[in-house]
Amino acid sequence: MMNPYKNQAVTNLKKAKGFIDRIAKMIEEEEYCIDICQQVNAALGLLKKTNHYILESHLLTCGTKELASGSEKKRKEFAKEILRVCEVSRRF
């Protein structure tokens, strides 16, 4: 991965880990369910943003190479790969 995406992804993952640790503690301590849900949503938001950084970095690095390769087969495979990742991302 290229910077700044790498740094942003790592930072978000560390924050998400903190959220997840807090969520587990909240559940163990039987805190209010809605408060727990809000923390889960915050962690999911960070993970979605991290996924965005990774995909953007991929498009700017690997994608650029594939699209510039001149190979129709590689371009089609790359397009299918991106569409598959986007489809999976929409499920969450």
Side-chain angles (χ1 to χ4, degrees):
M1 280 184 72
M2 63 187 283
N3 275 321
Y5 306 104
K6 181 179 179 178
N7 290 340
Q8 291 170 324
V10 169
T11 298
N12 278 5
L13 289 172
K14 288 178 181 179
K15 287 179 183 178
K17 182 181 183 300
F19 274 111
I20 291 167
D21 291 343
R22 174 71 180 128
I23 293 164
K25 185 176 178 183
M26 290 173 78
I27 292 170
E28 289 169 354
E29 295 176 355
E30 299 182 12
E31 291 191 30
Y32 188 58
C33 297
I34 298 303
D35 291 342
I36 296 169
C37 288
Q38 288 175 327
Q39 294 301 306
V40 168
N41 286 333
L44 287 171
L46 282 170
L47 292 173
K48 285 180 181 181
K49 188 65 176 174
T50 301
N51 196 44
H52 175 86
Y53 291 142
I54 293 167
L55 184 56
E56 189 170 351
S57 178
H58 178 66
L59 289 170
L60 293 171
T61 57
C62 303
T64 303
K65 292 175 193 170
E66 293 297 323
L67 294 173
S69 74
S71 167
E72 182 70 20
K73 181 181 177 185
K74 284 186 176 184
R75 287 195 302 271
K76 284 183 179 181
E77 287 173 0
F78 181 75
K80 285 181 185 179
E81 176 186 59
I82 296 304
L83 291 171
R84 187 181 72 244
V85 169
C86 291
E87 180 64 31
V88 170
S89 294
R90 285 192 299 184
R91 292 183 201 159
F92 298 106

